[in-house]
């Protein structure tokens, strides 16, 4: 945890100045900009941007509503498909989804419509007198949801719309999951994750209980017995290990732990910040970590990946953000040894250069050292095995280190469903987790109705 870095110095800048380094990555559109940008949309029939959207938002329709100055109509269309449309507008990799397939990429301008910013504009400027969705007649059924991240919250809202009561059990002190604890601070600013949850809860019929941990003070068997259905939106809580000696030394920790502490910090100037940092990884979390530690005042940040830039899971857009923030990026190098000082603290890392030998990545035998006061690993996450200490949860079938589900998000245990990052299908995207929760809710609803009809 971040306490292992407490021996490091604090930023030299005051909190107020540091906070200025974590304002919106992409400034929002104003009304004139939104009008101009929405006019660029061709409102394509069978629009490719809508077809590729993981949450099935009718992109052309909401943009037309913005153009017609029907902001509430645009927002309602977005939220009907994606109740977390505000956060997804900020964090979704639109550059490889809707904007990548926009037909405007291929005309004289060669620039896609700014769909993500238009979606944000619609949700940020909606003004409903009351929650835009009403609950159906009460069904008398109550569903338990484990995990108040994007999948769990999306599932809860859809179930509430369908007339069910929902109790959400969350292990942390606040709901929000990845949006609250795992996204770069400059991507979700101004406590937006909590504001979005407050809006979502206006539907009614949803109760959130925090500090409830599956396998500790919460048992799946009890939930299964007490509720009409259970949805598991557990996320991926365990950081993968490097498998090197010294991995537990002070100064080496998971990037997600530092990002969480950063997002929850009231005083950024109180955070421990190394002068030299190494980030190991190739995804968006690695980029988020490297950029944020640089913005906090680290003098030298080096991101290292064992393959080439083209193999990185971080998008080209994210890679450019890192470069713009003076992050040094080294490829074709894999961790070989954690270097420690005389006191047993991190002093750097030894890397072995790599290359492709046919279709196999292999070390070349040539090594080099990078000095560092702290190392942050961002090499992926897996399902927290502590969760599976719960006797009933241990019966869940696993697939690729995740929970196996069918096409309707049913697990092998009757009445228990799962979705989001903890299940086998998917790309670990917030927008896809929202879609999983929504579709699982529809499946739960249909299954409960079929039981009533059968009775």
């Amino acid at each position: 945890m971040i306490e292992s870095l407490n021996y490091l110095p604090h930023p030299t800048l005051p909190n107020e100045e540091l906070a200025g380094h974590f304002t919106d990555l992409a400034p929002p559109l104003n009304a004139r900009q939104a009008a101009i940008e929405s006019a660029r949309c061709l409102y394509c029939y069978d629009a490719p941007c809508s077809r590729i959207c993981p949450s099935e938002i009718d992109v052309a329709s909401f943009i037309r509503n913005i153009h017609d100055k029907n902001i509430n109509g645009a927002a309602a269309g977005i939220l009907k498909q994606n109740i977390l449309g505000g956060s997804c507008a900020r964090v979704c990799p639109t550059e490889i989804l809707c904007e990548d397939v926009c037909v405007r990429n291929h005309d004289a301008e060669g620039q896609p419509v700014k769909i993500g910013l238009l979606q944000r504009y619609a949700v940020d400027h909606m003004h409903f007198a009351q929650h835009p969705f009403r609950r159906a007649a009460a069904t008398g059924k109550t569903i338990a949801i484990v995990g108040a991240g994007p999948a769990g919250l999306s599932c809860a809202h859809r179930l509430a719309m369908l007339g069910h009561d929902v109790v959400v059990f969350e292990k942390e002190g606040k709901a929000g999951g990845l949006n609250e604890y795992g996204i770069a601070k400059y991507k979700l600013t101004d406590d937006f994750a909590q504001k979005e949850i407050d809006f979502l809860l206006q539907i009614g019929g949803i109760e959130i209980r925090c500090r409830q941990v599956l396998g500790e003070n919460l048992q799946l068997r009890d939930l299964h017995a007490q509720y009409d259905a259970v949805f598991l939106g557990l996320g991926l809580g365990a950081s993968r290990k490097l498998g090197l000696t010294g991995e537990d030394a002070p100064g080496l920790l998971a990037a997600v732990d530092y990002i969480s502490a950063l997002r929850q910090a009231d005083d950024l100037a109180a955070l421990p910040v190394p002068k030299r940092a190494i980030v190991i990884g190739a995804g968006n979390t690695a980029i988020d970590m490297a950029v944020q530690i640089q913005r906090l005042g680290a003098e030298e940040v080096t991101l290292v990946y064992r393959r080439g830039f083209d193999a990185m899971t971080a998008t080209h857009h994210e890679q450019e953000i890192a470069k713009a923030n003076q992050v040094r990026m080294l490829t074709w190098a894999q961790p070989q040894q954690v270097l420690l000082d005389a006191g047993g603290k991190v002093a750097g890392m030894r890397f072995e250069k790599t290359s492709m030998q046919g279709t196999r990545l292999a070390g070349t035998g040539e090594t080099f050292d990078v000095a560092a006061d702290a190392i942050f690993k961002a090499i992926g996450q897996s399902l927290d095995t502590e969760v599976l200490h719960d006797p009933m949860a241990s019966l869940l079938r696993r697939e690729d280190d995740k929970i196996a589900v069918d096409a309707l998000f049913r697990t092998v245990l009757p009445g228990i469903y799962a979705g989001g990052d903890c299940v086998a299908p998917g790309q670990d995207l917030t927008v896809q987790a929202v879609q999983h929760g929504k579709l699982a809710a529809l499946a739960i609803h249909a299954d409960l109705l079929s039981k009533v009809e059968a009775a």
Side-chain angles (χ1 to χ4, degrees), residues 249-367:
L252 197 158
L253 74 162
V256 291
D257 291 339
Y258 194 96
I259 292 171
S260 175
L262 170 59
R263 284 196 58 84
Q264 300 304 308
D266 294 323
D267 182 4
L268 297 177
L271 290 168
V273 177
K275 289 186 178 180
R276 300 166 301 179
I278 293 172
V279 179
I280 302 170
N284 289 348
T285 298
I287 299 291
D288 286 354
M289 182 67 235
V291 171
Q292 289 184 109
I293 203 71
Q294 180 79 39
R295 292 188 177 194
L296 283 172
E299 295 175 4
E300 181 181 286
V301 180
T302 305
L303 188 150
V304 187
Y305 177 47
R306 61 198 178 103
R307 297 179 185 272
F309 286 112
D310 291 345
M312 293 181 74
T313 54
T315 66
H316 178 73
H317 173 70
E318 292 286 333
Q319 294 178 39
E320 290 302 310
I321 292 171
K323 293 175 184 177
N325 281 271
Q326 291 78 53
V327 173
R328 178 189 180 205
M329 302 177 74
L330 297 179
T331 55
W332 300 109
Q334 62 187 7
Q336 186 186 72
Q337 181 182 348
V338 181
L339 305 178
L340 305 177
D341 64 15
K345 300 184 184 67
V346 163
M349 178 164 275
R350 179 163 295 153
F351 293 92
E352 180 183 14
K353 292 184 179 181
T354 59
S355 66
M356 295 301 297
Q357 297 185 2
T359 59
R360 186 175 66 88
L361 183 74
T364 64
E366 184 180 353
T367 63

Side-chain angles (χ1 to χ4, degrees), residues 13-259:
L13 297 177
N15 180 59
E16 294 74 16
E17 191 168 344
L18 288 171
H21 297 173
F22 293 91
T23 55
D24 273 316
L25 178 64
L29 302 176
N30 59 35
R32 177 169 172 75
Q33 290 169 327
I36 293 171
E37 195 61 29
S38 62
R40 294 185 61 236
C41 181
L42 301 178
Y43 315 121
C44 305
Y45 172 76
D46 196 25
C49 54
S50 297
R51 285 188 281 113
I52 202 173
C53 176
S55 59
E56 301 179 311
I57 291 173
D58 188 340
V59 176
S61 177
F62 91 70
I63 293 179
R64 182 180 288 277
N65 272 321
I66 293 175
H67 182 261
D68 294 341
K69 297 183 172 56
N70 180 10
I71 305 304
N72 278 1
I78 294 164
L79 298 172
K80 179 181 178 182
Q81 297 296 344
N82 183 341
I83 193 59
L84 300 183
S87 58
C88 286
R90 290 161 164 82
V91 306
C92 186
T94 54
E95 66 274 7
I96 61 170
L97 293 171
C98 53
E99 292 178 14
D100 184 52
V101 298
C102 177
V103 297
R104 296 305 302 258
N105 283 305
H106 309 295
D107 63 15
E109 291 183 20
Q111 293 292 327
V113 175
K114 297 175 181 176
I115 298 170
L117 286 174
L118 285 172
Q119 180 169 315
R120 174 177 175 175
Y121 179 83
V123 176
D124 285 0
H125 292 83
M126 62 186 181
H127 292 287
F128 294 103
Q130 57 188 2
H131 195 71
F133 306 107
R134 299 286 187 88
R135 295 191 70 191
T139 64
K141 303 294 184 181
T142 306
I143 292 89
I145 293 177
V146 183
L153 291 170
S154 172
C155 186
H157 187 271
R158 186 62 52 155
L159 287 168
M161 281 180 62
L162 294 168
H164 306 292
D165 290 321
V166 183
V167 180
V168 184
F169 298 89
E170 166 58 37
K171 70 174 182 178
E172 301 292 347
K174 290 192 284 188
L178 185 68
N179 284 356
E180 178 59 39
Y181 294 98
I183 294 291
K185 194 174 180 67
Y186 52 76
K187 292 181 180 177
L188 277 178
T189 63
D190 301 323
D191 204 27
F192 185 81
Q194 293 306 307
K195 293 175 182 176
E196 190 169 49
I197 292 169
D198 291 342
F199 167 77
L200 178 151
L201 293 177
Q202 291 174 18
I203 187 71
I206 302 173
E207 177 189 355
I208 297 179
R209 301 178 188 174
C210 293
R211 305 294 185 191
Q212 302 292 305
V213 183
L214 193 65
E216 294 183 13
N217 58 351
L218 192 68
Q219 301 298 322
L220 185 57
R221 187 178 303 279
D222 295 337
L223 297 179
H224 188 249
Q226 295 168 14
Y227 293 87
D228 295 290
V230 180
F231 174 78
L232 302 176
L234 302 171
L236 298 175
S239 294
R240 292 195 173 98
K241 291 186 174 294
L242 295 167
L244 299 177
T245 302
E247 187 164 358
D248 296 325
L252 197 158
L253 74 162
V256 291
D257 291 339
Y258 194 96
I259 292 171

